């Protein structure tokens, strides 16, 4: 038999003594093998069933894992991976907090440099216009952190740049944990700034402009001392203990927009607050700013709310008050528009084991929870920057950590408690537990230990702990403690719908015009009686522009007309610039010129516009001769101002002035100044001071000093410009709807305005609705 044969053929073990079986043993073997078992398939299966089942389970498990990995980063796979990671052993780093040697900057050229206010950015391309504007912010030092994508010759005057090589030479422990091609290398920048005297750090990127070029105007840069704002701050109500996260965009007027990091199950919460409470400021150690233009939104919003290739330009309520978060309630934070005070510098750590789109959001929730341990809180501020949409695809795969885990993370953090007695010990404990729960990996546990040691090594002192308010009975909110604020409802974007396809073409054109010029201020000077035309001009142009500011020789408070003299009107413009600090640009227009705004859609709103290509408007006159006394006097004033200009203005002006013997005049009925040149314009007006340079002389001088005429947008070069004034009844003889502007036009009363509107309706048919 087979079994017998296999048994008999089995060799005996060496040195084993062979005994002769006794009779009972022989009988036992004889009974055991006397009848061979049937080896059919069913018998074999029954005997080996447990082995078959084990093998099949193994095959199914491997196949399932292979399938999940190939269908994409689904929630099921992530949960499977997270549970698998929990089975791995995570080692808790051992750190001797009392014997950490100091790290002193001895390698960089900035070893002796100190500054209290820093702006940290990561750069992977040539300096952007926004970054150049950041360098100009007074009192702030920009620190640019390079990655492997950064050009080797990267340079920006006024900024400190740390290349990968320089970062590696600083001696920080965290460098060993950082990827080469990621913005999380900003971690090195945070430590460098702290090492060099930082007390405030503005976490920024290179695609946003600070509104009004003044961080102190928006954020609470000073929390104590004379510069601190001694005021109470609105706070979300803690009445509902189950409410752990809020959408701050609702408070600032955008109910259908949500920030990156908001759990998707909370997106549908659109109602405004029933009431707020108040608290005293001073411990808003983390300050989150709202961004106009492209706010901090996730890929789901970006990919579903965008229509075509048009850039997002979302606006928030700039007049809404800042709002604080009580303990137990969180808000998504980001790494491109956030102010950190020294008490919260430890919370700057960007984790390295999660995706780049999730790193700063996870940092924000982690930091908020720990901030409660020192009595600090987060405050969200009205728009502080205008951030530009580069129309780039948002990588959904990079946000997998957010959409799968963020809701669970917030609940976990609110419930988490620690019995440690020092802040850094609590930080280590929380980082370790978060790795155990699968929110990040052991890599970030090690990174946290390196980060905290580096903080101590550069001289940072950890803040003292305070009792946690979450563990106290919640105070009853009385009627007198309730503060009301009803947010605006600012128009937003809709689900991938082309609005122009839902209405007729005229409405579609108006929508496009409003989107283009809805944040441009029109400044209009009226030489005709304003009581007859002011309302009409606002009716005509107010549909298109952000607002229409009307100036005249005589003010009229009932019609909101402000007083100004045309000869010196350029000196009045900075006041209007300050009033509309968030405007994208300013278009100046005199009432003797008609603006065909529908022909300005292709103009570059980041460049200067003026009539330098219109011979009858932009001229060079001699300063010598019988009738040149006035021109000569104006030329002398120009020379006086030019001689006092800073070098960049002076060089630009002289390179642009081809005729040194003549004086450049511009009728200046129409010109445009974008936001990025507003500061330059204001500086130039300051140089003129009390010198009475005429408007027609000052404007071309300013424009040539601000930029080379070769860089001006030539949109106004095609305008119709006649020198003789025609009566309104004959205006149609020179008017054309195909040019950007027409000069001159005499509109003195309502009948003239009606005639004008009827003529202009050839370019904008909806104008007929006005008459």
């Amino acid at each position: 038999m087979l079994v017998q044969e296999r048994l008999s053929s089995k060799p005996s073990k060496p040195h084993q003594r062979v005994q002769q079986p006794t009779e009972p043993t022989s009988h036992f073997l004889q009974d055991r093998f006397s009848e061979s078992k049937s080896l059919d398939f069913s018998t074999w299966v029954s005997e080996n069933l447990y082995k078959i089942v084990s093998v099949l389970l193994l095959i199914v498990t491997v196949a399932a894992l292979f399938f999940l990995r190939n269908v994409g980063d689904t929630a099921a796979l992530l949960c499977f991976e997270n549970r698998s990671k929990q089975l791995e052993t995570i080692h808790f780093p051992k750190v001797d907090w009392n014997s950490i040697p100091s790290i002193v900057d001895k390698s960089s050229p900035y070893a002796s440099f100190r500054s209290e206010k820093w702006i940290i950015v990561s750069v992977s391309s040539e300096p952007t216009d926004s970054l150049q504007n950041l360098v100009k912010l007074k009192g702030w030092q920009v620190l640019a952190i390079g990655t492997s994508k950064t050009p080797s010759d990267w340079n920006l005057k006024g900024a400190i740049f740390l290349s990968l090589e320089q970062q590696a030479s600083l001696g920080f422990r965290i460098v060993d944990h950082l990827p080469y091609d990621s913005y999380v290398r900003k971690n090195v920048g945070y430590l460098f700034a702290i090492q060099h005297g930082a007390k405030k750090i503005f976490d920024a990127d290179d695609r946003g402009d600070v509104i009004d070029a003044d961080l102190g105007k928006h954020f609470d840069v000073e929390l104590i001392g004379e510069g601190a704002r001694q005021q109470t701050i609105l706070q979300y109500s803690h009445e509902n203990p189950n409410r752990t996260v809020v959408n701050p965009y609702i408070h600032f007027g955008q109910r259908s927009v949500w920030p990156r990091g908001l759990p998707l199950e909370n997106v549908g919460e659109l109602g405004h607050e029933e009431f707020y409470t108040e608290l005293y400021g001073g411990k808003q150690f983390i300050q989150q700013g709202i961004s106009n233009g492209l706010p901090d939104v996730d890929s789901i919003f970006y990919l579903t709310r965008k229509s075509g290739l048009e850039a997002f330009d979302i606006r928030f309520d700039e007049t809404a008050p800042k709002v604080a978060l009580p303990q137990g309630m969180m808000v998504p934070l980001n790494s491109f528009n956030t102010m950190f005070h020294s008490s919260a510098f430890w919370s700057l750590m960007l984790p390295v084991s999660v995706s780049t789109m999730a790193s700063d959001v996870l940092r924000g929730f982690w930091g908020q929870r720990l901030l409660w341990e020192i009595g600090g809180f987060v405050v969200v501020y009205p728009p502080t920057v205008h951030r530009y949409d580069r129309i780039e695809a948002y990588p959904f795969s990079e946000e997998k950590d957010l959409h799968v885990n963020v809701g669970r993370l917030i609940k976990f953090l609110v419930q988490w408690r620690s019995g440690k007695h020092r802040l850094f010990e609590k930080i280590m404990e929380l980082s370790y537990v978060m790795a155990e729960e699968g929110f990040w990996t052991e890599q970030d546990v090690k990174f946290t230990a390196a980060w905290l040691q580096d903080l101590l090594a550069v001289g940072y002192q950890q803040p003292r702990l305070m009792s946690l308010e979450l563990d106290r009975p919640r105070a009853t909110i009385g009627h007198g403690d309730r503060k009301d604020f009803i947010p605006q409802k600012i128009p937003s974007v809709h689900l991938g719908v082309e609005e122009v396809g839902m209405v007729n073409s005229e409405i579609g054109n108006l929508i496009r015009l409003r989107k283009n010029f809805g944040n441009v201020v029109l400044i209009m000077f009226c030489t005709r009686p304003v009581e007859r035309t002011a309302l009409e001009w606002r009716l005509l142009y107010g549909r298109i522009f952000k607002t229409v500011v009307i100036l005249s020789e005589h003010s009229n408070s009932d019609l909101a007309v402000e007083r100004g003299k045309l000869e010196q009107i350029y000196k009045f413009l900075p006041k209007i610039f300050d009033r509309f600090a968030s405007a994208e640009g300013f278009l100046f227009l005199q009432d003797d010129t008609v603006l065909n705004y529908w022909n300005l859609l292709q103009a570059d709103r980041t460049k200067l516009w003026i009539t330098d290509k219109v011979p009858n408007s932009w001229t060079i006159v001699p300063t010598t001769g019988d009738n040149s006394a006035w021109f000569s006097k104006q030329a002398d004033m120009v020379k006086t101002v030019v001689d006092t200009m800073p070098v960049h203005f002076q060089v630009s002006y002289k390179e642009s002035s081809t005729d040194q013997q003549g004086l450049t005049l511009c009728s200046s009925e129409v010109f445009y100044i974008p936001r990025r040149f507003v500061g330059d314009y204001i500086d130039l007006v300051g140089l003129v001071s009390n010198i009475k340079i005429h408007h027609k002389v000052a404007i071309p001088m300013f424009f040539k000093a601000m930029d080379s005429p070769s860089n001006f947008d030539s949109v106004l070069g095609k305008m119709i410009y006649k020198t003789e004034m025609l009566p309104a009844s004959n205006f149609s003889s020179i008017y054309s709807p195909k040019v950007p502007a027409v000069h001159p036009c005499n509109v003195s009363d309502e009948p003239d305005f009606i005639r004008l509107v009827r003529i202009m309706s050839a370019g904008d048919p909806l104008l007929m609705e006005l008459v």
Side-chain angles (χ1 to χ4, degrees), residues 426-440:
K426 286 180 179 284
I427 294 175
M428 279 305 311
E429 182 181 16
L430 178 56
S431 295
Y432 178 80
V433 177
M434 283 180 60
E436 286 189 320
E437 292 292 326
F439 296 116
W440 55 38

Side-chain angles (χ1 to χ4, degrees), residues 523-525 551 553 565-573 588-590 610 617-618 630 634 637-638 664-671 673 681 685 688 691-703:
I523 305 170
M524 192 165 189
F525 190 91
L551 308 172
E553 294 283 348
K565 291 186 177 182
L566 182 59
E567 293 81 3
Q568 303 283 303
I569 200 62
Y570 63 91
K571 294 183 179 180
F572 192 84
L573 300 188
F588 180 85
L589 182 70
Q590 292 184 37
I610 200 166
S617 174
W618 184 289
W630 186 87
Q634 290 288 316
M637 295 180 189
V638 169
T664 302
L665 291 181
C666 177
S667 56
S668 302
E669 288 97 355
V670 55
F671 57 84
I673 301 174
Y681 182 94
V685 171
V688 174
I691 302 175
K692 294 185 178 181
I693 300 180
H694 195 277
H695 179 67
K696 293 184 178 181
V697 177
I699 290 300
M701 176 182 67
F702 290 173
F703 268 64

Side-chain angles (χ1 to χ4, degrees), residues 579-597:
R579 196 185 314 164
F580 299 97
S582 64
E584 181 182 5
F586 299 86
L587 182 62
F588 180 85
L589 182 70
Q590 292 184 37
D591 64 348
D592 60 356
T593 302
V594 173
L595 194 69
N596 291 340
Y597 40 80

Side-chain angles (χ1 to χ4, degrees), residues 49-279:
L49 181 61
Y50 73 97
K51 295 181 180 180
I52 296 172
V53 171
S54 300
V55 172
L56 287 176
L57 285 175
L58 179 61
I59 293 173
V60 170
T61 302
V62 172
L65 182 59
F66 179 82
F67 171 77
L68 287 172
R69 284 198 175 276
N70 281 274
V71 297
D73 293 309
T74 63
L77 177 58
L78 287 172
C79 292
F80 183 89
E81 290 180 338
N82 287 340
R83 291 300 176 190
S84 299
K85 291 176 182 177
Q86 290 178 9
L87 301 176
E88 301 175 1
T89 301
I90 300 176
H91 301 282
F92 193 94
K94 294 182 180 180
V95 180
D96 185 356
W97 301 106
N98 298 317
S99 59
I100 296 175
S102 298
I103 298 178
V104 180
D105 182 8
K106 297 180 179 179
S107 61
S108 79
Y110 317 101
S112 60
F113 179 77
R114 293 291 182 275
S115 178
E116 292 191 355
K117 296 186 290 188
W118 291 73
I119 299 174
I120 313 296
V121 297
S122 170
V123 293
S124 56
S125 59
E126 296 295 338
T128 62
D129 291 340
S130 295
L131 188 54
Q132 294 179 43
N133 291 334
L134 283 178
V135 172
K136 297 177 183 178
L137 296 183
K138 295 180 180 179
W140 291 86
Q141 176 58 54
V142 171
L143 173 59
I145 302 300
T147 70
S148 58
K149 301 176 183 178
T150 310
S152 58
D153 60 347
W154 198 96
N155 181 61
L156 176 60
K157 185 178 180 180
I160 295 176
F161 172 66
L162 294 179
S163 64
L164 288 176
E165 294 76 13
Q166 289 173 312
Q167 296 170 39
S169 68
L170 294 173
F172 297 145
R173 297 170 179 81
I174 63 168
V175 173
D176 295 336
H177 302 269
L178 297 173
Y180 290 105
D181 61 347
S182 171
Y183 80 95
V184 300
R185 297 198 71 86
K186 291 173 79 173
N187 284 299
V188 176
Y190 305 143
L191 289 175
F192 184 88
I194 297 168
Q195 184 184 51
H196 290 78
K199 301 297 181 187
K200 297 99 180 173
I201 291 178
F202 180 54
D203 208 7
D205 69 0
D206 63 352
R207 64 193 296 179
D209 289 336
V210 176
I211 297 174
D212 300 335
D214 185 1
L215 286 171
K217 185 175 181 179
H218 309 288
F219 291 106
D220 291 318
V221 177
E222 302 297 335
L223 298 181
I224 58 174
E226 296 181 359
R229 298 186 179 103
Q230 303 298 329
Q231 57 184 207
T232 56
I233 302 174
L234 280 188
Q235 179 180 244
Y236 285 102
S237 166
H238 61 260
E239 188 176 52
N240 182 2
N242 296 320
R243 191 184 186 196
T244 56
V245 65
V246 295
N247 179 359
Y249 292 172
I250 298 174
H251 177 84
F252 296 97
Q254 288 289 3
R255 303 190 179 201
S256 63
V257 186
W258 66 88
R260 177 173 54 100
L262 186 75
L264 295 181
E265 58 266 29
N266 296 99
V267 166
E269 299 173 1
L270 305 179
H272 65 80
E273 303 302 305
E274 293 184 13
F275 63 89
Y276 297 79
T277 58
E278 281 185 332
L279 81 166

Side-chain angles (χ1 to χ4, degrees), residues 620-624 631-632 635-636 638-639 642-643 650-664 704:
I620 299 177
V621 298
T623 57
T624 59
F631 297 126
S632 177
D636 290 340
V638 169
K639 184 178 185 303
V642 171
D643 289 343
Q650 196 172 131
V651 169
S652 178
Y653 177 83
K654 292 180 178 179
E655 288 180 350
S656 304
S657 301
T658 55
D659 189 344
Q660 300 295 334
Q661 303 301 318
L663 176 68
T664 302
K704 290 194 292 183

